[in-house]
Amino acid sequence: MLASSWKAAGFTYNKYLQIAARAIRKSLKEEARLKAEKRGPLELKYVKWENGKQGEPQNLPK
Amino acid sequence: MNTFRAARFALRAKPTASFLGRRTYADAAGPSDKIRLSLTMPHQAIFKGTDVVQVNIPAETGDMGVLANHVPSVEQLRPGLVEIIEEAGSTRQYFVSGGFAVVQPNSQLSVNAVEAYTLDEFSIEAARAQLAESQKIASGQGSEADIAEAKIEVEVLESLIAALK
C-alpha cells in the first residue's frame, strides 16, 4: 500500500503530508487555489553564533 | 476483553440501529446522542465543538462511521472524504489530505488535517491534468524520491477524482 512506498523512500510523515496537501491545493479552482498556495512553501534558516560572531546562515533540510 | 473487541468491531461497520442504544463508555458530556466535532486545519477551524449526529471518516484501516459514545481511538486518515451528518439531517462533505482523527471518551471527535475543502471548490480538470503528469513521473526514470513523491500524488488524486465523480 501507500504507506510502504513513502516509508521505503525515506520520507517522514510530515513530508508525506506536505506532498499530499500540495496535490490537493493544485487541484482547487483558480480562486481558492491562489489563496491556498500561499501557505504551501515553507522555509527555515538557522544561524549559529560563536564567540559573539554570526556564522553562515544554513537552510534547515526539508 | 472479548466484549470490547466485539463492540469495536460493530462500531467499525456502517451504523445500524442496534448500536444506537448501546452505551459503551462515558455518558457524561453533552447530549448523549450527539458527537462533538472539531474539524481543524493549521490555518482554519471548520467545525469547532459543534454537536453533530454522525461523522464518517476515511481511516487508514478502513472507512468508519463515528457516532456518540464511540470507543476511544486514534485513527490515521487516508486522503478522502469526511462526511458529516448534522442535527438537521443535512450532510456536509469535505475532502481531506490526510491527518488524524482522535475519538475521545466523552463523545468528542477531533479531525485534524492539513487541507480540507468541499467538493465544489475542486476543479476536476486540474486534478486530471495533475494525475496524468504524476503518473508519467511515477513510471519514469527519475530518482527514487521523485517516483515516491509522484506515487503519493497519484494516490491522492485518484481518491479525489473518484470523490468528484
Side-chain angles (χ1 to χ4, degrees):
Chain A
M1 251 197 75
L2 178 75
S4 54
S5 74
W6 65 262
K7 272 181 195 161
F11 288 175
T12 59
Y13 183 67
N14 258 354
K15 173 90 180 163
Y16 159 69
L17 269 190
Q18 186 202 330
I19 294 166
R22 192 185 59 205
I24 284 195
R25 283 189 213 108
K26 278 194 190 164
S27 308
L28 290 167
K29 283 182 187 162
E30 194 71 11
E31 199 183 318
R33 185 172 60 83
L34 291 175
K35 259 191 215 163
E37 284 193 334
K38 283 183 193 152
R39 32 171 209 270
L42 202 75
E43 259 180 46
L44 272 178
K45 282 189 179 190
Y46 67 92
V47 172
K48 215 173 190 173
W49 288 72
E50 250 172 298
N51 303 324
K53 282 195 178 150
Q54 184 182 340
E56 276 296 297
Q58 306 268 332
N59 280 318
L60 201 71
K62 281 178 191 172
Chain B
M1 194 59 207
N2 265 338
T3 51
F4 174 76
R5 278 216 186 120
R8 195 177 154 83
F9 181 75
L11 289 168
R12 284 205 165 265
K14 286 279 178 185
T16 56
S18 67
F19 83 88
L20 275 173
R22 186 188 293 155
R23 292 269 171 113
T24 46
Y25 216 81
D27 305 87
S32 61
D33 56 342
K34 299 285 187 294
I35 185 147
R36 193 152 286 175
L37 170 71
S38 297
L39 175 56
T40 52
M41 296 169 293
H43 54 277
Q44 189 198 350
I46 299 176
F47 285 83
K48 214 171 169 182
T50 314
D51 285 334
V52 297
V53 177
Q54 183 185 338
V55 186
N56 296 334
I57 53 172
E60 194 72 64
T61 50
D63 290 354
M64 55 191 277
V66 180
L67 283 145
N69 304 311
H70 193 282
V71 181
S73 62
V74 180
E75 301 289 341
Q76 189 185 328
L77 301 178
R78 288 177 287 125
L81 264 191
V82 170
E83 205 171 20
I84 297 142
I85 297 154
E86 293 175 302
E87 284 179 275
S90 54
T91 304
R92 285 168 74 170
Q93 292 182 319
Y94 293 90
F95 193 91
V96 300
S97 64
F100 280 92
V102 183
V103 188
Q104 284 160 309
N106 49 356
S107 278
Q108 289 201 47
L109 172 64
S110 304
V111 180
N112 303 307
V114 183
E115 297 288 352
Y117 283 96
T118 54
L119 292 179
D120 59 350
E121 286 175 290
F122 287 103
S123 147
I124 194 162
E125 292 81 27
R128 285 208 176 109
Q130 251 200 99
L131 178 62
E133 198 171 312
S134 298
Q135 275 168 337
K136 212 164 72 189
I137 299 171
S139 56
Q141 301 290 312
S143 70
E144 200 194 343
D146 286 346
I147 290 173
E149 199 169 316
K151 276 185 182 163
I152 296 169
E153 287 168 357
V154 167
E155 172 112 5
V156 174
L157 294 166
E158 276 176 349
S159 171
L160 175 62
I161 289 167
L164 287 174
K165 269 180 192 162

